Amino acid sequence: MKKQVSLADIRTFVVLAEQGSFTKAGEKLACSRSHISKQLAQLESSLGVSLLIRTTRTQHLTPQGEAFYERCKQSLNGISHAIDRVVESADSLTGNIRINCVGGYIAEEIIASLISDFMVQHPDINIELDFSSRRVDLVSGEFDFVFRMGELTDSSLIARKLTDIKINTYVSPKYLAKHGKPNEPKDLLRHRCIAGSLRNWTFIHDNNHKKVEVTVAGNLTCKSGRVMVSSAISGNGIIRVPELYCQTELAQGLLVPVFEQWQVEPTPFYLVYLQDRHQPLRLKVFKDYVVEHFISYLI
Amino acid sequence: MKKQVSLADIRTFVVLAEQGSFTKAGEKLACSRSHISKQLAQLESSLGVSLLIRTTRTQHLTPQGEAFYERCKQSLNGISHAIDRVVESADSLTGNIRINCVGGYIAEEIIASLISDFMVQHPDINIELDFSSRRVDLVSGEFDFVFRMGELTDSSLIARKLTDIKINTYVSPKYLAKHGKPNEPKDLLRHRCIAGSLRNWTFIHDNNHKKVEVTVAGNLTCKSGRVMVSSAISGNGIIRVPELYCQTELAQGLLVPVFEQWQVEPTPFYLVYLQDRHQPLRLKVFKDYVVEHFISYLI
DNA sequence: CCTCTTTGTCAACTTAGAGTCAACAGATGT
DNA sequence: ACATCTGTTGACTCTAAGTTGACAAAGAGG
């Protein structure tokens, strides 16, 4: 009996006070006169206060009703504005998009120019681009999108594959002239290999699809694709990097593939984002843009 | 799908955002987790916006959710305050009471002192006392109470009888000496009578309760009881007024009753107020005070 | 690594109460 | 006096608020 006031009743009261008639209020709220009447009766009962003195032809607010109306109207307007703002923010192409990209070559080259072009098309969207490679938590809300290589298992995330990154084993002609050419993966054990984060290199034979894993040795370990490539060109050893990392060097003949029959399993490249039933439009637009145009940036 | 946002859902969202857990919010709102979940899902769906990113163990507001929360919280607080104020105003002995009194003697003497004493007991209640005798509309909200003589029929009003006003026919000994004494009502036709608003005087015989109506004549018509009394004392004619109007004059022998066997039907004196299911406490207190103490002011 | 607990979600169900309809009574205009 | 408008009431319907219980995911804490 005390404080269980229905907000719907209050809304009805406010409309009623403005319309000055149960019938009109009913039209406004798309419901019957009787229901208006009941809601008001219920509201007054739960407040223990008469808000509206009414006869069949005339009605006016009590002093308390007037005060109550003013306050409630303000508050309901506030809520209405809040709703408008929120809907607007969801439908408009403004606001921030925060993106993280597992660093390196591809990111800086491709993603950066992809995003630049996106920003030209959507000048009101602000992009925060982060290349730090630390573990990033999408769920924490720090980022809206993350570009990632390799698998990612998390039920609340969506990983949209953008492409398979073709990885291969390369070496400089200079190195070959000096150390000879390996014919199969296990030969690598007798060669100097420049490794990124992984030293377990897996190869698949073209014909029988047999997998071979080799733990390579070498005196250089480096996570930068740039450094690896230039080091390989200098003849320091054999690298296994995405083809993208050294397309120009391959064209110039500074590097050549080591094997013909053995391939490296391609690594998928993902755009990862939160599974969100009500994705703001700007995020959806960005996602669609990336999915559609990503390929065309791969030279 | 557009704007049909349930206010209850918003309230739930606000509580949920504050509690940081569906379970706690459920306790706070005295309902089940599932329901909280449904309400939030429904709210997000009708807004088309995700407000809260949630896993089973962690949750946090989206940027839009945060903005929405802030605004809504404010507004809901506003409504909550409005409710508090209104309930408080109904339960507290403060505020105004606006009273109209059909003017004249009784009002000025009795009602005024009655109200004075009431105000002493309730110093925080402010009283607006109005003696204008114009037709007053309680329903218009201009007054909370009206003191009235005589019947009043209006279904939306309550007329609480305070007393029967004893009315009688008086004359000065001086007049009697000059014109003789009437023995029954119809004798009045041959006398000079001082009338208020009514010239149709009705009398009832003590024994057989027979009613007799006489349309009296006279060269003075006056609505002021004071004037009528003093005029009668001067020997100008016969008056028919409430006994209250001339108690002291009767005691001093300046006026005497005309008839012994014929009475004037007493007029009820009412406190009239709006039929209000949720009467503010100050009005109820006033009503009770008047009903209880009125008699004691009748000398 | 495993279990135990707790979390939010979902589907199926129950039921309170939102809302309607029709009959009514008071007020107003004609 | 009549017709027509008003808000109210009580009986009715049926939506949607809210529950229950099973479930999967995610920590917590060994």
Side-chain angles (χ1 to χ4, degrees):
Chain A
M1 186 185 173
K2 193 62 196 280
K3 189 90 179 246
Q4 204 47 317
V5 180
S6 157
L7 289 170
D9 291 349
I10 292 180
R11 168 148 61 184
T12 295
F13 163 67
V14 168
V15 172
L16 178 54
E18 278 159 2
Q19 296 296 314
S21 140
F22 282 54
T23 309
K24 282 182 198 160
E27 285 165 13
K28 195 103 179 179
L29 293 169
C31 70
S32 62
R33 271 174 301 160
S34 19
H35 188 231
I36 306 278
S37 170
K38 282 189 186 173
Q39 284 189 294
L40 181 59
Q42 182 173 319
L43 178 61
E44 290 183 329
S45 163
S46 54
L47 290 177
V49 174
S50 286
L51 302 172
L52 190 70
I53 303 298
R54 44 207 188 269
T55 36
T56 52
R57 286 287 163 169
T58 165
Q59 58 186 238
H60 67 97
L61 295 167
T62 63
Q64 299 110 47
E66 209 145 339
F68 191 63
Y69 164 74
E70 285 299 337
R71 294 172 193 282
C72 288
K73 181 197 169 149
Q74 239 178 338
S75 294
L76 287 183
N77 271 343
I79 287 179
S80 187
H81 285 152
I83 292 172
D84 289 347
R85 290 283 185 92
V86 124
V87 168
E88 176 185 292
S89 83
D91 290 348
S92 74
L93 292 174
T94 60
N96 285 354
I97 301 180
R98 294 150 307 169
I99 301 165
N100 175 270
C101 185
V102 288
Y105 204 57
I106 293 188
E108 289 166 23
E109 294 281 314
I110 296 178
I111 303 301
S113 62
L114 178 72
I115 287 174
S116 305
D117 292 349
F118 176 80
M119 290 176 75
V120 170
Q121 286 200 22
H122 300 285
D124 292 334
I125 296 181
N126 186 32
I127 304 240
E128 297 172 22
L129 187 52
D130 177 274
F131 285 122
S132 70
S133 57
R134 66 195 152 86
R135 266 284 168 193
V136 156
D137 186 10
L138 269 170
V139 180
S140 77
E142 199 179 356
F143 293 103
D144 298 309
F145 291 103
V146 170
F147 289 94
R148 268 193 71 87
M149 286 172 65
E151 301 297 340
L152 190 60
T153 59
D154 188 323
S155 59
S156 65
L157 300 179
I158 293 177
R160 179 76 181 246
K161 182 148 86 171
L162 296 175
T163 187
D164 275 319
I165 296 176
K166 198 171 162 188
I167 295 176
N168 214 339
T169 319
Y170 302 105
V171 69
S172 68
K174 193 190 303 179
Y175 179 94
L176 285 181
K178 196 165 175 185
H179 300 94
K181 182 175 184 183
N183 288 318
E184 50 176 329
K186 66 177 183 182
D187 293 345
L188 290 175
L189 292 172
R190 287 173 288 130
H191 284 266
R192 304 173 58 175
C193 295
I194 304 170
S197 41
L198 279 181
R199 290 211 157 264
N200 297 332
W201 291 7
T202 303
F203 297 87
I204 300 177
H205 194 273
D206 274 355
N207 301 336
N208 56 16
H209 297 84
K210 208 176 82 180
K211 281 194 183 180
V212 173
E213 183 176 318
V214 181
T215 302
V216 300
N219 46 4
L220 176 61
T221 299
C222 173
K223 288 188 178 179
S224 159
R226 271 265 181 246
V227 174
M228 289 165 75
V229 169
S230 64
S231 184
I233 292 173
S234 310
N236 271 329
I238 297 169
I239 57 172
R240 196 186 71 154
V241 294
E243 191 190 70
L244 281 168
Y245 279 27
C246 49
Q247 273 178 317
T248 53
E249 289 80 358
L250 286 171
Q252 295 167 10
L254 296 173
L255 290 176
V256 294
V258 176
F259 306 118
E260 269 92 44
Q261 304 274 314
W262 296 88
Q263 304 301 329
V264 176
E265 199 166 19
T267 298
F269 188 65
Y270 289 111
L271 172 63
V272 185
Y273 51 93
L274 267 175
Q275 186 165 15
D276 187 342
R277 260 185 288 244
H278 308 291
Q279 198 173 42
L281 187 59
R282 65 179 187 283
L283 298 187
K284 178 175 163 42
V285 165
F286 179 78
K287 181 197 73 188
D288 292 344
Y289 184 90
V290 169
V291 168
E292 187 184 344
H293 295 98
F294 182 81
I295 301 257
S296 64
Y297 284 85
L298 297 178
I299 305 188
Chain B
M1 187 183 173
K2 193 61 198 283
K3 189 86 181 251
Q4 204 45 314
V5 180
S6 157
L7 289 170
D9 292 349
I10 292 180
R11 169 148 62 182
T12 295
F13 163 68
V14 168
V15 172
L16 178 54
E18 278 160 2
Q19 295 296 314
S21 138
F22 282 53
T23 310
K24 282 182 197 158
E27 285 166 12
K28 196 102 180 179
L29 294 168
C31 69
S32 62
R33 270 175 301 162
S34 6
H35 188 232
I36 305 279
S37 172
K38 275 192 192 174
Q39 285 189 293
L40 181 59
Q42 182 173 320
L43 178 61
E44 290 183 328
S45 163
S46 52
L47 291 176
V49 174
S50 285
L51 301 172
L52 189 70
I53 303 297
R54 45 207 187 269
T55 36
T56 53
R57 287 285 163 171
T58 166
Q59 59 185 236
H60 67 97
L61 295 167
T62 63
Q64 298 110 46
E66 209 144 340
F68 191 63
Y69 164 73
E70 285 300 337
R71 294 173 193 282
C72 289
K73 181 195 169 151
Q74 240 178 336
S75 294
L76 287 183
N77 271 343
I79 289 179
S80 186
H81 285 151
I83 292 172
D84 290 346
R85 289 286 184 92
V86 125
V87 169
E88 175 185 294
S89 84
D91 290 347
S92 75
L93 292 173
T94 60
N96 285 354
I97 301 180
R98 294 149 308 169
I99 302 164
N100 176 271
C101 186
V102 288
Y105 205 57
I106 294 189
E108 289 166 24
E109 294 282 314
I110 298 180
I111 302 301
S113 63
L114 177 72
I115 288 175
S116 304
D117 291 349
F118 176 79
M119 289 176 75
V120 170
Q121 285 200 22
H122 300 286
D124 292 333
I125 295 180
N126 186 32
I127 304 242
E128 296 172 22
L129 188 52
D130 177 274
F131 285 123
S132 70
S133 56
R134 66 196 150 88
R135 266 283 168 194
V136 156
D137 187 9
L138 269 171
V139 179
S140 77
E142 200 179 356
F143 293 102
D144 298 309
F145 292 102
V146 170
F147 288 94
R148 268 193 72 86
M149 283 172 66
E151 302 297 339
L152 191 60
T153 58
D154 187 323
S155 61
S156 65
L157 299 180
I158 293 177
R160 180 76 181 246
K161 181 148 87 169
L162 297 174
T163 187
D164 275 320
I165 296 177
K166 197 172 163 188
I167 295 177
N168 214 337
T169 319
Y170 302 107
V171 70
S172 67
K174 195 189 300 181
Y175 179 94
L176 285 182
K178 195 166 177 182
H179 299 93
K181 184 176 184 181
N183 290 316
E184 48 175 331
K186 66 177 181 181
D187 293 346
L188 291 175
L189 292 171
R190 286 174 287 132
H191 284 267
R192 303 175 57 177
C193 296
I194 304 170
S197 40
L198 279 181
R199 291 209 158 265
N200 297 335
W201 291 8
T202 304
F203 297 87
I204 301 177
H205 194 272
D206 274 354
N207 303 336
N208 56 16
H209 296 83
K210 208 177 78 180
K211 279 194 183 181
V212 173
E213 184 177 316
V214 181
T215 302
V216 299
N219 47 2
L220 177 61
T221 299
C222 173
K223 288 187 178 178
S224 158
R226 271 264 181 245
V227 174
M228 289 165 75
V229 168
S230 63
S231 185
I233 291 172
S234 309
N236 271 327
I238 297 170
I239 57 173
R240 195 187 71 155
V241 294
E243 190 191 72
L244 281 169
Y245 280 26
C246 50
Q247 273 177 317
T248 53
E249 289 80 357
L250 286 172
Q252 294 166 11
L254 296 174
L255 289 176
V256 294
V258 177
F259 306 117
E260 270 90 44
Q261 306 273 312
W262 297 88
Q263 305 300 329
V264 176
E265 199 167 21
T267 298
F269 189 65
Y270 288 110
L271 172 63
V272 185
Y273 50 93
L274 267 174
Q275 186 165 16
D276 186 342
R277 261 185 286 244
H278 310 290
Q279 197 173 42
L281 186 59
R282 66 179 186 284
L283 298 187
K284 178 175 161 41
V285 164
F286 179 79
K287 181 197 75 188
D288 292 344
Y289 184 90
V290 170
V291 169
E292 187 184 343
H293 294 98
F294 181 82
I295 301 258
S296 64
Y297 284 85
L298 298 177
I299 307 188

